[in-house]
């Protein structure tokens, strides 16, 4: 189970001492205890998450439309004709699978951020595959979501290769507790997902500044494609990121969750998606174990505060 950690830590007991949260603890002590199963559909379905976020005053990329049935696939050209750029993703996808980012198009051709040219029939095929569940959890029939492409803030241009980076926050009982930014690489094809080969940069939860960086669970200092120094990152609008993350708790009532946030050049930080079973690699990117951090919240962080109050509490917290 700890294969991905074994490069750094010699034994399970050392892992335990380092406060690393393992898969079993995450699943049973935290996910099973704090996440009610009936609330999962709220976050497992990206269309529902978007609608819910709107209710809570959280910005998300605008929905262009959804495609549910094969006979609707041919309508996609009509749907996107007034949108310069757009993204297709499965409503029940995860790990970046099936996410297709189109940064420009004309009647015949569609271009990805890396300059790959796709034809009408390629998009048609991608949508058709999406509906058949090729990219989805459990492989069941799915809905294709078409949304606007985030107009990513140029502040990160040198840090991300042909794709937008995101910030992953781990939210525990309404408190953001751990953060990383994930940077697209040539290997990850414009998506900021670690399993696709993106870089993970652990961020200090109070400041949004770099702690350390990893790629495929190995420590690195510079971006593999842009060669930017990863130790210098400081995410702007950090407090706004934290507030969006904290609000995800009121939105879902899930006690343990991951929130993906992106920084739009015009609209500021927006919520991309939520995850009820966030991965544990964030610990590697931070060089900090989650177990201690979660215990600290249980012990010292007040319950029943508003999202803004929780973020203020966190920012002013200087206990151990
Ligand atoms: N609207 C968008 N605009 C630009 N890039 C996007 C957009 N949606 C997703 N992406 C890219 O694809 C990645 C995966 O998308 P996400 O919605 O988080 O789905 P998944 O559940 O597969 O992780 C994001 O981290 C981001 O890099
Ligand atoms: Mg994601």
């Amino acid at each position: 189970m700890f294969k991905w950690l074994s490069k750094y830590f010699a034994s399970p007991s050392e892992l335990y001492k380092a406060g690393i949260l393992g898969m079993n603890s995450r699943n049973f002590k935290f996910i099973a205890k704090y996440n009610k199963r009936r609330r999962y559909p709220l976050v497992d379905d990206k269309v529902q998450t978007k609608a819910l976020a709107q209710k809570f005053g959280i910005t998300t990329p605008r929905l262009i439309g959804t495609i549910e049935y094969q006979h609707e696939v041919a309508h996609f050209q009509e749907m996107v004709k007034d949108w310069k750029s757009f993204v297709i993703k499965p409503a029940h996808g995860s790990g970046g699978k099936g996410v297709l980012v189109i940064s420009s198009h004309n009647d015949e051709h569609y271009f990805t951020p890396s300059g790959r040219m796709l034809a009408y029939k390629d998009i048609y095929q991608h949508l058709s595959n999406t509906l058949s569940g090729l990219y989805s959890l459990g492989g069941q029939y799915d809905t294709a979501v078409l949304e606007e492409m985030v107009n990513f803030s140029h502040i990160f241009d040198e840090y991300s290769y042909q794709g937008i980076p995101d910030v992953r926050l781990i939210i525990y009982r309404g408190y953001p507790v751990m953060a990383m930014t994930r940077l697209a690489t040539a290997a990850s094809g414009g998506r900021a997902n670690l399993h696709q080969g993106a870089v993970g940069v652990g961020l200090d939860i109070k400041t949004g500044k770099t702690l350390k960086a990893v790629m495929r669970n190995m420590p690195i200092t510079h971006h593999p494609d842009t060669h930017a120094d990863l130790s210098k990152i400081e995410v702007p609008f950090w407090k706004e990121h934290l507030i969006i993350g904290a609000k995800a708790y009121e939105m879902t009532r899930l006690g343990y969750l991951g929130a993906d946030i992106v920084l739009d050049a015009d609209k500021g930080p927006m919520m991309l998606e939520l995850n009820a079973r966030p991965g544990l690699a964030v610990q590697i990117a931070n060089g900090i174990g989650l177990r201690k951090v979660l215990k600290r919240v249980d012990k010292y962080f007040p319950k029943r505060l508003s999202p803004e109050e929780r973020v203020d509490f966190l920012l002013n917290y200087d206990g151990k």
Side-chain angles (χ1 to χ4, degrees):
M1 168 176 67
F2 290 119
K3 220 170 138 199
W4 50 281
L5 282 167
S6 59
K7 295 170 193 125
Y8 306 103
F9 299 95
S11 70
S13 73
E14 272 174 318
L15 281 171
Y16 190 80
K17 274 193 216 127
I20 298 290
L21 183 67
M23 197 98 79
N24 284 330
S25 286
R26 181 202 65 171
N27 290 350
F28 297 110
K29 287 200 189 133
F30 297 100
I31 294 187
K33 184 164 173 195
Y34 290 110
N35 289 357
K36 292 207 175 83
R37 285 206 76 86
R38 68 182 163 82
R39 299 198 168 272
Y40 280 22
L42 301 177
V43 299
D44 284 346
D45 180 333
K46 291 185 168 68
V47 184
Q48 283 201 44
T49 309
K50 213 187 258 298
L52 199 60
Q54 239 166 24
K55 265 198 201 159
F56 283 77
I58 301 170
T59 320
T60 64
R62 268 183 299 168
L63 182 69
I64 298 173
T66 57
I67 295 181
E68 279 181 63
Y69 302 102
Q70 292 288 348
H71 71 86
E72 297 170 339
V73 170
H75 300 171
F76 87 84
Q77 259 186 327
E78 180 63 21
M79 286 169 73
V80 301
K81 76 175 183 343
D82 295 329
W83 298 80
K84 181 184 164 293
S85 54
F86 63 93
V87 174
I88 300 175
K89 58 176 89 170
H92 294 86
S94 70
K97 287 192 288 288
V99 177
L100 181 63
V101 182
I102 298 296
S103 50
S104 66
H105 63 102
N106 52 40
D107 281 347
E108 282 162 50
H109 299 113
Y110 297 81
F111 298 90
T112 70
S114 63
R116 194 157 64 98
M117 189 175 82
L118 300 170
Y120 170 86
K121 67 170 184 3
D122 301 319
I123 309 285
Y124 188 100
Q125 189 62 49
H126 186 84
L127 284 164
S128 187
N129 289 345
T130 305
L131 299 193
S132 71
L134 189 65
Y135 311 115
S136 307
L137 297 164
Q140 79 276 37
Y141 288 113
D142 206 353
T143 296
V145 181
L146 280 78
E147 68 181 19
E148 71 172 327
M149 189 185 92
V150 174
N151 179 15
F152 198 71
S153 163
H154 288 297
I155 294 165
F156 278 104
D157 278 356
E158 58 172 324
Y159 292 115
S160 200
Y161 185 73
Q162 295 176 345
I164 67 159
D166 69 1
V167 167
R168 159 62 63 91
L169 293 176
I170 302 293
I171 317 296
Y172 180 57
R173 305 178 82 176
Y175 284 97
V177 289
M178 209 171 260
M180 69 174 158
T181 179
R182 299 177 297 187
L183 311 171
T185 61
S188 75
R191 294 159 299 185
N193 294 87
L194 298 187
H195 290 301
Q196 309 286 353
V199 168
V201 182
L203 300 173
D204 180 85
I205 193 69
K206 284 166 73 167
T207 62
K209 291 184 186 170
T210 301
L211 293 173
K212 58 190 277 223
V214 293
M215 185 178 174
R216 300 205 189 275
N217 292 328
M218 296 300 284
I220 55 168
T221 55
H222 292 75
H223 191 286
D225 309 303
T226 70
H227 309 295
D229 179 354
L230 298 170
S231 70
K232 302 272 190 297
I233 295 179
E234 180 173 4
V235 176
F237 305 105
W238 187 241
K239 188 172 177 183
E240 286 81 350
H241 281 75
L242 295 177
I243 291 174
I244 290 179
K247 282 184 176 171
Y249 177 61
E250 271 70 11
M251 235 177 96
T252 61
R253 288 286 159 194
L254 291 168
Y256 182 79
L257 90 169
D260 292 353
I261 299 169
V262 290
L263 185 57
D264 187 272
D266 310 308
K267 299 176 190 162
M270 44 167 92
M271 180 183 283
L272 203 53
E273 64 149 345
L274 298 174
N275 196 314
R277 312 164 202 79
L280 295 164
V282 64
Q283 300 176 105
I284 312 279
N286 275 254
I288 300 173
L290 265 167
R291 208 159 42 81
K292 281 183 187 157
V293 175
L294 303 184
K295 271 201 178 142
R296 181 193 295 149
V297 172
D298 284 338
K299 247 181 149 167
Y300 303 114
F301 285 30
K303 312 291 162 320
R304 283 186 273 281
L305 296 183
S306 71
E308 289 82 1
E309 288 169 336
R310 289 196 298 272
V311 169
D312 283 335
F313 179 87
L314 171 77
L315 294 176
N316 292 312
Y317 182 78
D318 55 11
K320 277 199 299 158

